[in-house]
């Protein structure tokens, strides 16, 4: 597991480098829950506040053509959201990043310290860091 | 545009038949907005209430192995969510439905009248039907 960039008592945010795209984020729920509709509405809204807060941070830093947000988890049935900045010259645009690549793709990496600082500005101070 | 199965003044729900999977739903925001983080938080929560309400309805009707929920919109940059029941014998499992098919896939169609009735039970009476 990559070191978290931001965390509170319910969820944490990591970054992942996707070939042909660049840096994306994942927001992972700490509790072992499979489906969003199993969460109580307050917990669900708090989780989505973080997901859409990460979206806003990535929009500000990466200036993507579009944001993609997805909860799949077919392999790992534990709630997590992919928050993905998309670019017209990434390997998959305009398809989903799970489709076959259309081109080599220009990767847009984001600096981890800058991303971490922007998350703390956008989401507030993390309240329960992972280790 | 398919006829809506359920609608309120902000969004509407349609069903779509996906080859190798079966019936999925889309929840479409009426206003022309590109990103979730452009919505004000109350509107956003109201939208997600419908999305996760549809998820709960589909879980009840379809008994999927996992639900997938995604907002992509690279081709149509107008907010809409895919709410997708996934089955171990669908064409793509455990990959995303945008990946190459792994097998022919057993399709699980849902009856439109049953889906429509279940949405009204799960989400409440629709308040502003589409014509």
């Amino acid at each position: 597991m990559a070191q978290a960039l931001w965390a509170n008592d319910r969820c944490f945010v990591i970054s992942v480098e996707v070939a042909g795209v660049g840096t994306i984020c994942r927001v992972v729920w700490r509790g072992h829950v499979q489906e969003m509709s199993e969460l109580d509405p307050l917990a669900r809204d708090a989780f989505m506040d973080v997901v859409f807060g990460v979206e806003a941070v990535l929009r500000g830093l990466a200036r993507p053509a579009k944001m993609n947000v997805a909860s799949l988890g077919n392999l790992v049935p534990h709630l997590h959201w992919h928050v993905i900045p998309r670019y017209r010259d990434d390997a998959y645009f305009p398809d989903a990043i799970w489709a076959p690549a259309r081109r080599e793709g220009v990767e847009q990496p984001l600096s981890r310290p800058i991303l971490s600082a922007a998350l703390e500005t956008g989401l507030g101070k993390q309240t329960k860091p992972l280790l």
Side-chain angles (χ1 to χ4, degrees), chain A:
Chain A
M1 173 68 73
Q3 198 190 355
L5 288 165
W6 187 93
N8 66 14
D9 55 340
R10 292 176 154 169
C11 61
F12 57 91
V13 182
I14 61 173
S15 63
V16 179
E17 300 307 311
V18 174
V21 178
T23 306
I24 75 165
C25 285
R26 282 196 198 123
V27 188
V28 183
W29 190 248
R30 289 180 190 261
H32 185 56
V33 177
Q34 180 167 323
E35 305 289 4
M36 287 301 294
S37 48
E38 292 177 69
L39 292 179
D40 77 70
L42 284 179
R44 207 183 65 197
D45 288 349
F47 191 13
M48 297 314 293
D49 281 351
V50 175
V51 172
F52 296 131
V54 171
E55 178 188 287
V57 164
L58 288 173
R59 283 174 64 205
L61 289 179
R63 305 277 164 194
K66 184 74 184 71
M67 289 300 303
N68 291 180
V69 182
S71 170
L72 307 175
N74 305 314
L75 276 171
V76 184
H78 178 123
L79 282 178
H80 62 279
W81 286 87
H82 305 269
V83 187
I84 308 162
R86 299 299 310 278
Y87 312 97
R88 293 187 194 287
D89 56 4
D90 74 36
Y92 305 94
F93 199 91
D95 299 326
I97 68 163
W98 301 281
R102 285 175 178 253
R103 62 190 77 83
E104 195 176 341
V106 176
E107 293 180 6
Q108 304 228 19
L110 296 171
S111 141
R112 199 177 153 82
I114 288 172
L115 189 49
S116 184
L119 288 170
E120 194 143 305
T121 303
L123 298 173
K125 205 167 165 52
Q126 58 180 343
T127 56
K128 189 184 172 185
L130 286 186
L131 293 186

